[in-house]
Amino acid sequence: MRFSSRFFKMALVASVAAFVEGCQKKVEKPIDYSSIAYKRLSPASFKADSSKNAEIPSLERRYDYRYAIMLGDTLGVTVLEFESDVYALDYYMNSGHFQGSIPILRGNFLEQSFRADKRIFIFRHDSYRRYERADLEDYVRKFPGYHGGFPQAFLSLPFEHREQGRAAIETRFFLGVKSTFPVLVQSYRDGNLRWNVARSWDQVESDAFEKWVLGLKQVTPNEIVPANDCVYFEAGEGSYGIASRLSGGRVAVVWGYMSWSDLERTFFTASDRIFEARY
């Protein structure tokens, strides 16, 4: 009986070990981008390009599809894939090539565009052809890692008095100073009082933050006692700001036409929210 029990335990251990090893060796099947269909229709042609683009440094890959919908009706799809969704959003908002959900007429062709996570989708078809936007959205959802809307990181910025349509992405310059870390910026307004809150997209190395700080016009605040881990600067005529690299590595900045005491209170509220964010 003892032998049988011992043998059973050994067999069980061996089975569990084999199962764990099998799970560890399991490799996800690579995605075949060339087979992505539009409404069950396979692409008539497909091209992938991962060469560097001098005009768009953050672009990692470009995919071009052509779908023969029917005789004389061809749908072209270009997919621009960036390093991360913050760079895709920056290009979508600031390049001047897109108008959101509004189609753009280019010669005899209409262009419709979407941004989803780190990709921008550009659909091109004859101007007299009708393509339901819901069908184009279904196509976009077929790509792996689909997420619509703004990056979740925007949710860590305070909501009260948020100005609609006044959110921005900065990837090369921030407050007129060259930077190497992308930031999210949200503007706020309470009556005649305006201010801005910004946070870095991710953790920032201390030397990158310090290099950016050197380009600011630093000042000594009055009415408050300066904190050692904060930088106080002039953001424009009559406008001041506070910046800090938080202990988790994220950068928090607040600036606007406020007294130093109000600015300090707003900064600590924003920095606490940014520090506690999971994204």
Side-chain angles (χ1 to χ4, degrees), residues 28-56:
E28 292 186 6
K29 184 179 179 180
I31 299 164
D32 184 6
Y33 284 92
S34 67
S35 65
I36 295 179
Y38 174 78
K39 297 180 70 174
R40 299 183 180 179
L41 185 65
S42 298
S45 66
F46 168 76
K47 181 181 178 183
D49 185 2
S50 59
S51 59
K52 289 296 181 181
N53 188 305
E55 295 182 3
I56 319 175

Side-chain angles (χ1 to χ4, degrees), residues 31-216:
I31 299 164
D32 184 6
Y33 284 92
S34 67
S35 65
I36 295 179
Y38 174 78
K39 297 180 70 174
R40 299 183 180 179
L41 185 65
S42 298
S45 66
F46 168 76
K47 181 181 178 183
D49 185 2
S50 59
S51 59
K52 289 296 181 181
N53 188 305
E55 295 182 3
I56 319 175
S58 56
L59 183 67
E60 288 196 329
R61 295 176 189 84
R62 170 176 172 150
Y63 304 107
D64 288 288
Y65 300 84
R66 288 181 66 82
Y67 297 90
I69 306 300
M70 60 179 66
L71 185 63
D73 183 11
T74 301
L75 174 66
V77 184
T78 295
V79 183
L80 305 178
E81 187 173 289
F82 292 78
E83 293 177 23
S84 69
D85 46 359
V86 69
Y87 291 104
L89 185 57
D90 171 51
Y91 189 72
Y92 195 72
M93 294 173 63
N94 300 324
S95 67
H97 296 310
F98 310 102
Q99 295 185 25
S101 61
I102 302 174
I104 300 175
L105 181 63
R106 300 191 191 280
N108 296 324
F109 295 91
L110 270 181
E111 280 188 4
Q112 300 189 56
S113 61
F114 293 81
R115 186 208 61 84
D117 53 272
K118 62 179 181 179
R119 299 186 183 99
I120 295 175
F121 296 79
I122 306 167
F123 297 90
R124 191 168 185 262
H125 53 82
D126 288 331
S127 60
Y128 54 86
R129 300 290 184 183
R130 180 179 176 84
Y131 283 82
E132 296 294 339
R133 196 159 177 87
D135 292 336
L136 304 183
E137 288 178 351
D138 287 342
Y139 177 85
V140 170
R141 292 175 185 274
K142 292 182 179 180
F143 280 72
Y146 167 82
H147 293 95
F150 264 23
Q152 291 293 303
F154 267 112
L155 298 180
S156 68
L157 300 180
F159 289 102
E160 191 178 16
H161 306 305
R162 179 189 294 256
E163 278 197 278
Q164 294 297 324
R166 293 294 301 277
I169 302 285
E170 303 290 343
T171 59
R172 299 181 182 180
F173 289 87
F174 179 35
L175 286 169
V177 179
K178 189 174 182 180
S179 66
T180 57
F181 52 91
V183 296
L184 314 178
V185 182
Q186 176 64 54
S187 296
Y188 299 84
R189 181 173 182 175
D190 183 14
N192 293 325
L193 186 63
R194 291 174 179 265
W195 69 96
N196 304 276
V197 179
R199 57 153 286 178
S200 61
W201 170 250
D202 208 339
Q203 286 77 21
V204 176
E205 296 295 333
S206 58
D207 56 346
F209 174 69
E210 291 169 2
K211 187 175 181 179
W212 172 72
V213 163
L214 289 175
L216 298 175

Side-chain angles (χ1 to χ4, degrees), residues 190 193-197 221-224 240-242 254-270:
D190 183 14
L193 186 63
R194 291 174 179 265
W195 69 96
N196 304 276
V197 179
N222 50 38
E223 304 176 20
I224 61 172
Y240 297 97
I242 303 175
V254 173
W255 71 98
Y257 296 93
M258 308 170 74
S259 66
W260 281 112
S261 56
D262 288 340
L263 194 63
E264 182 183 55
R265 183 166 54 252
T266 303
F267 173 78
F268 286 125
T269 299

